Amino acid sequence: MIKKSWLARKYCPITLFKNDIEDAKLTSVFDIDEWEQIKAEGLSISDDVYQSLYLYHLNLQRVNYEKIITINTEETFNSFELELLQKEVLNYMHKKQIVIETLPTSNVRIGHHNDYSSYHLWNWLEWENEGCPLPPIVVGTDDTGIFATNILNEFANIYCYLTNSGRTNHNKAFDIIKKLDYNSQVYKFT
């Protein structure tokens, strides 16, 4: 039921919570195809998925969405186990050719990183050097209006961190940039 509820989030709640098509047609968002999909899935007031979505959209529940939840990542797995799991996921992604897009400036600015020193790209590059199969990694940018960056800045940030931190020399840093750029050319959306 949880998976089905998550997948059903695609439906407009205004349409979903109308039980009568004539009532639904009076809304500005009515879409006959969506209505028919909802009915084909059997989503109705008596359905558990419907009830789950109803609670999800209830105004009284929305206040809970703003609550900060603290998670102790080592409560279930220790650091060693988490690293093994990460490597297994990367290996799976490698086998399936699932591309990772990394957004350095955005990830550092809005993520849990204080600066580039804890950025996950460095772990991936280190693990690749150790022989861990990695999926293709591409570099991207986020909203330039918010982060004032572009793809050249992102590559420059990676290059400068790699060389200034002593993680690698200039030639190896250029090789990493070339590979990331190559991946971006191969796996770009057109």
Side-chain angles (χ1 to χ4, degrees):
M1 189 224 20
I2 293 172
K3 181 179 178 184
K4 192 173 176 186
S5 296
W6 183 79
L7 291 171
R9 290 179 316 136
K10 66 184 175 187
Y11 297 124
C12 173
I14 296 170
T15 304
L16 176 66
F17 301 134
K18 298 289 184 188
N19 292 314
D20 177 76
I21 191 167
E22 296 307 318
D23 193 21
K25 284 181 180 178
L26 297 175
T27 67
S28 62
V29 295
F30 181 74
D31 179 328
I32 187 67
D33 293 330
E34 182 176 45
W35 176 265
E36 289 173 357
Q37 288 175 4
I38 290 168
K39 296 307 165 192
E41 283 194 41
L43 298 175
S44 68
I45 198 162
S46 61
D47 181 60
D48 286 344
V49 171
Y50 177 99
Q51 289 298 320
S52 173
L53 290 168
Y54 180 78
L55 289 173
Y56 175 79
H57 288 288
L58 198 61
N59 280 337
L60 292 173
Q61 291 286 38
R62 291 185 182 195
V63 297
N64 294 322
Y65 302 158
E66 299 299 321
K67 288 183 181 173
I68 296 175
I69 300 170
T70 303
I71 299 170
N72 177 0
T73 56
E74 293 197 6
E75 191 172 292
T76 307
F77 301 105
N78 65 38
S79 296
F80 177 76
E81 293 166 330
L82 284 171
E83 183 176 319
L84 288 177
L85 287 170
Q86 288 177 37
K87 288 178 179 178
E88 281 301 314
V89 169
L90 290 170
N91 185 36
Y92 176 82
M93 293 173 71
H94 169 75
K95 288 178 183 175
K96 298 291 184 179
Q97 285 291 295
I98 299 171
V99 178
I100 295 176
E101 180 183 31
T102 189
L103 311 166
T105 299
S106 173
N107 292 164
V108 169
R109 295 275 305 277
I110 64 175
H112 67 275
H113 309 284
N114 293 325
D115 55 39
Y116 284 103
S117 65
S118 64
Y119 193 52
H120 44 267
L121 177 60
W122 321 136
N123 287 341
W124 297 337
L125 295 173
E126 183 180 317
W127 294 340
E128 184 178 41
N129 286 337
E130 294 170 0
C132 178
L134 286 185
I137 299 171
V138 301
V139 177
T141 63
D142 215 326
D143 186 342
T144 55
I146 296 171
F147 297 109
T149 190
N150 59 43
I151 197 66
L152 294 176
N153 288 344
E154 298 295 359
F155 283 126
N157 286 331
I158 293 168
Y159 173 82
C160 288
Y161 180 76
L162 287 171
T163 56
N164 293 338
S165 67
R167 285 186 177 261
T168 191
N169 64 40
H170 295 282
N171 291 334
K172 288 182 183 172
F174 273 122
D175 289 341
I176 290 168
I177 297 298
K178 285 178 194 173
K179 183 175 181 178
L180 293 169
D181 182 48
Y182 174 78
N183 287 346
S184 298
Q185 296 303 316
V186 171
Y187 295 101
K188 67 182 175 185
F189 295 104
T190 55

